Amino acid sequence: MKAVFPGSFDPITSGHMDVLTRASRIFDTVTVTVMHNARKQGRHLFTLDERLDILRTATEHLDNVGVDSFGGLLVDYMAQEQKGIILRGLRAVSDYEYELQIAHLNRQLGEVETVFIMAATRWSFVSSSMVREIASYGGDIRDMVPRASADALRLKYADVYEERERTSEAVLPDSDSSD
Ligand code: PNS
């Protein structure tokens, strides 16, 4: 059975990776597809090409996982590619209402089924938007995202991270100085 894991992935988080890894053990193939979310139009940190690059690096160890993008309706993509079922991750009850709505709409529009996989509880509070916000202030996001996303965020906010490192070096006691 084939599955498509659609999303904005701006950038992919450890929660997404957890769902994807679990799904890769269940489905024959999983395609991670970057799509447009009308609610997030023009508010992306990473370009489509950057998000695809991050995804390819983050998933290269998963043999049955591929990466793709599509600019139209998810149901059209599912029909065009004969991709089987839609896979979505659930972190907490707060995700449920929105996910229920789009799952029902996709079934009504294209008779496509959606399967949900719950992310491990340690990722309940991790979202791409929170990770972007933390990174924009030079905070440590390495635990919340795969290495490829962390490297890309660090590059995007290189000035902020460098400044933060400079100032924290200035306030940290010099470990070599003895009293
Ligand atoms: O990661 P996101 O932003 O929650 O993913 C939402 C996404 C991209 C899967 C959803 O917005 C989507 O399916 N967009 C494609 C357009 C579409 O089919 N819209 C109708 C269903 S809401």
Side-chain angles (χ1 to χ4, degrees):
M1 170 78 80
K2 295 183 195 176
V4 168
F5 187 24
S8 306
F9 303 110
D10 188 32
I12 187 165
T13 66
S14 299
H16 292 130
M17 286 303 295
D18 183 45
V19 169
L20 185 57
T21 306
R22 289 169 198 278
S24 72
R25 296 186 199 123
I26 298 170
F27 297 101
D28 296 321
T29 62
V30 184
T31 307
V32 187
T33 306
V34 181
M35 308 210 59
H36 294 307
N37 182 336
R39 297 169 178 219
K40 300 177 182 171
Q41 209 74 36
R43 291 192 288 121
H44 292 121
L45 176 62
F46 293 103
T47 64
L48 175 62
D49 284 344
E50 287 171 331
R51 282 179 277 159
L52 289 169
D53 277 348
I54 296 169
L55 281 169
R56 284 191 198 103
T57 308
T59 60
E60 63 191 359
H61 62 291
L62 298 168
D63 290 341
N64 60 342
V65 171
V67 171
D68 197 7
S69 66
F70 189 74
L73 277 178
L74 179 53
V75 288
D76 290 342
Y77 177 72
M78 299 303 291
Q80 177 187 305
E81 304 288 323
Q82 296 176 347
K83 283 275 168 56
I85 67 109
I86 297 168
L87 165 72
R88 291 285 285 173
L90 286 176
R91 288 166 301 187
V93 178
S94 50
D95 286 337
Y96 183 72
E97 209 172 324
Y98 170 64
E99 293 299 337
L100 186 73
Q101 185 183 15
I102 62 171
H104 277 303
L105 285 172
N106 283 325
R107 195 156 65 185
Q108 189 174 321
L109 281 171
E111 287 176 33
V112 194
E113 296 297 340
T114 301
V115 167
F116 295 101
I117 289 187
M118 282 169 291
T121 49
R122 68 178 294 215
W123 309 122
S124 306
F125 302 102
V126 174
S127 65
S128 298
S129 59
M130 285 300 165
V131 164
R132 290 196 305 270
E133 182 167 339
I134 295 166
S136 74
Y137 293 103
D140 188 354
I141 38 75
R142 284 171 298 179
D143 230 22
M144 303 170 198
V145 290
R147 176 76 185 265
S149 298
D151 288 350
L153 284 161
R154 178 149 187 134
L155 213 59
K156 201 58 103 178
Y157 291 113
D159 293 354
V160 184
Y161 276 102
E162 277 159 25
E163 179 60 23
R164 196 180 157 103
E165 273 157 19
R166 236 192 332 270
T167 47
S168 65
E169 269 165 25
V171 294
L172 281 173
D174 183 353
S175 55
D176 286 342
S177 67
S178 50
D179 50 1

